Amino acid sequence: MDVPSASERAVAAPPDVASVQRRTVALLAAVQVLGGMGVAIGITVSTLLAANLAGASFAGLASSMGVVGAAVIAVPASRIMDRLGRRPGLAAAYCAAVAGAVLVVVAGTVHSFGLALAGLFLFGAGTTANLQARYAAADLALPERRATALSTVVWATTAGAVAGPNLAGPAGDLAARHGIPALAGPFAVSAVMFGLAGLLTVGFLRPDPLLLARSVLDGGLSVVRPRASVRSALGVIRSSPGALLGLGAVAAGQSVMVGIMSMTPVHMQHGGAPLRIVGFVISVHVAGMYALSPVAGWLSDRYGRRPVILAGALLQLAACAVAGTAGEDPIQLGAALTLLGLGWSATLVAGSTLLGESVPVADRPSVQGTADFVMGLAGACAALLAGVVIGAGSYALLSILGAIAVLPLLAAAARRPAPAGATG
């Protein structure tokens, strides 16, 4: 069973640190509502906007650019965090997301696919900030509460992320009345949400949880560190079986989820589904991603990280089976995407927790940023290939390939756990 080591359990948080931890989680939860809404609105319409600007075969490229942006921006954001703390890194990512959302609005107005791709790349920084916030929630948590703290912030995304897709239609109608294309208008709402999230982070994430964690757990000796590279972070991950499994869980879960989810709106639109129905299906998917994440966190703390990763892989396998046989039935597609979201939640929460606790405190920001970089690239490749598969094949074929992709994680998580005392 994947549990914290005895030495980690011996570290007790002083009362003042516990108080800071509670305030940090509460603030991050509030910020995630805004950030989740901003990201979800863009996810709903990005592939549709790309299909409108360049054709269905290029729809996957829109999702790819957003996911690539999230992946690439995770590296400089984590470096800022490594040297200056969580607050500056998160704020910088939200600022980039605002710029990207505004650029997409302009691109839709002037009908420029290239400009839209550039905007979607920067828009991915919103995902970067939302994902990195989960690590900030765990910085000061006790070992036996890490997954719960991390999952609480993931869960807080639910309200904004579920509401976001349902705002796409009204936002598009409002934009159209002001001369802005309906599929570009929702990004203006995203820009506002990201801006508010950044302001809250800058104003209230004090003291910085990462810097305080280093002061408490690392004697304050690692506040200023030499620049860490992706290669060195990957070396740290390779040296730990637990970190490797954690990285594999978040990368595999992300790639399967993005591949299927990103092409579902295009598949439904080809079947004649209106935007409000597409928005509803994406909403239930997002609810699956976030609503039960505290359960995944509790199960990870109670029974270990590995069993929850295994459960997540099984859920994603089931999702691919349901999606592949759904045809154009919105109810079955909604059920498939709900399962897909639940599987993603389990792999993200358990995998992220296992990854962070399997490496030294001083290496965590660079390792976590690199993990999100790898996770993002995996998702981007999946989105790009998904567009090609839809263009040349079918949604059912895409679901089969998704099922095949999750099998290696299933096998890795099902292996006999590491010997007692190891985190993997």
Side-chain angles (χ1 to χ4, degrees):
M1 187 172 68
D2 306 307
V3 296
S5 66
S7 61
E8 283 191 303
R9 287 183 179 275
V11 178
D16 59 328
V17 173
S19 176
V20 171
Q21 169 66 0
R22 287 192 296 271
R23 293 198 307 272
T24 297
V25 171
L27 174 67
L28 291 172
V31 169
Q32 287 297 93
V33 173
L34 298 170
M37 185 179 295
V39 170
I41 294 174
I43 287 175
T44 303
V45 299
S46 62
T47 53
L48 300 178
L49 177 63
N52 179 266
L53 293 176
S57 297
F58 292 92
L61 190 56
S63 292
S64 294
M65 287 304 292
V67 179
V68 167
V72 172
I73 294 170
V75 176
S78 67
R79 285 177 177 168
I80 293 172
M81 293 177 193
D82 197 29
R83 297 185 66 83
L84 301 176
R86 298 289 187 189
R87 184 173 65 255
L90 292 174
Y94 280 127
C95 285
V98 171
V102 171
L103 200 57
V104 173
V105 174
V106 174
T109 303
V110 301
H111 208 79
S112 170
F113 182 58
L115 194 60
L117 292 181
L120 288 168
F121 178 88
L122 290 174
F123 182 86
T127 299
T128 298
N130 289 348
L131 289 174
Q132 287 289 310
R134 75 194 193 276
Y135 294 127
D139 283 333
L140 295 170
L142 292 170
E144 61 270 22
R145 295 282 298 170
R146 282 188 188 135
T148 299
L150 186 148
S151 66
T152 298
V153 171
V154 174
W155 169 81
T157 312
T158 306
V162 172
N166 292 299
L167 292 176
D173 294 340
L174 179 62
R177 290 198 292 270
H178 290 82
I180 299 173
L183 293 175
F187 285 91
V189 178
S190 294
V192 173
M193 296 298 105
F194 290 143
L196 291 174
L199 289 174
L200 281 176
T201 300
V202 171
F204 298 101
L205 190 59
R206 301 171 185 273
D208 192 285
L210 177 61
L211 300 185
L212 182 57
R214 284 177 170 172
S215 176
V216 172
L217 301 177
D218 214 14
L221 299 178
S222 304
V223 173
V224 178
R225 294 181 48 76
R227 179 175 176 177
S229 67
V230 171
R231 177 179 295 183
S232 64
L234 288 173
V236 174
I237 294 172
R238 283 194 300 267
S239 68
S240 167
L244 273 175
L245 178 59
L247 176 61
V250 298
Q254 178 81 349
S255 62
V256 175
M257 186 274 289
V258 170
I260 301 294
M261 178 274 295
S262 64
M263 287 298 104
T264 299
V266 176
H267 172 67
M268 294 182 69
Q269 189 181 54
H270 284 172
L275 185 57
R276 63 181 179 83
I277 298 299
V278 175
F280 174 77
V281 170
I282 297 299
S283 290
V284 298
H285 165 67
V286 174
M289 290 173 64
Y290 298 113
L292 295 182
S293 55
V295 176
W298 180 82
L299 290 172
S300 295
D301 285 334
R302 177 67 177 82
Y303 297 105
R305 323 312 186 199
R306 186 184 296 266
V308 177
I309 291 172
L310 177 61
L314 289 171
L315 284 168
Q316 289 201 317
L317 193 62
C320 291
V322 175
T325 57
E328 296 170 354
D329 181 3
I331 295 177
Q332 190 169 338
L333 287 170
L337 262 66
T338 300
L339 290 172
L340 190 69
L342 289 171
W344 176 86
S345 179
T347 56
L348 181 79
V349 170
S352 298
T353 305
L354 181 59
L355 173 75
E357 69 190 10
S358 298
V359 300
V361 174
D363 293 319
R364 284 177 187 170
S366 62
V367 164
Q368 290 162 344
T370 297
D372 280 0
F373 172 71
V374 172
M375 179 178 73
L377 287 186
C381 291
L384 183 59
L385 291 175
V388 174
V389 171
I390 286 290
S394 66
Y395 187 75
L397 176 59
L398 177 63
S399 300
I400 293 172
L401 294 177
I404 294 172
V406 82
L407 292 178
L409 175 61
L410 198 66
R415 285 183 198 150
R416 181 181 295 275
T423 57

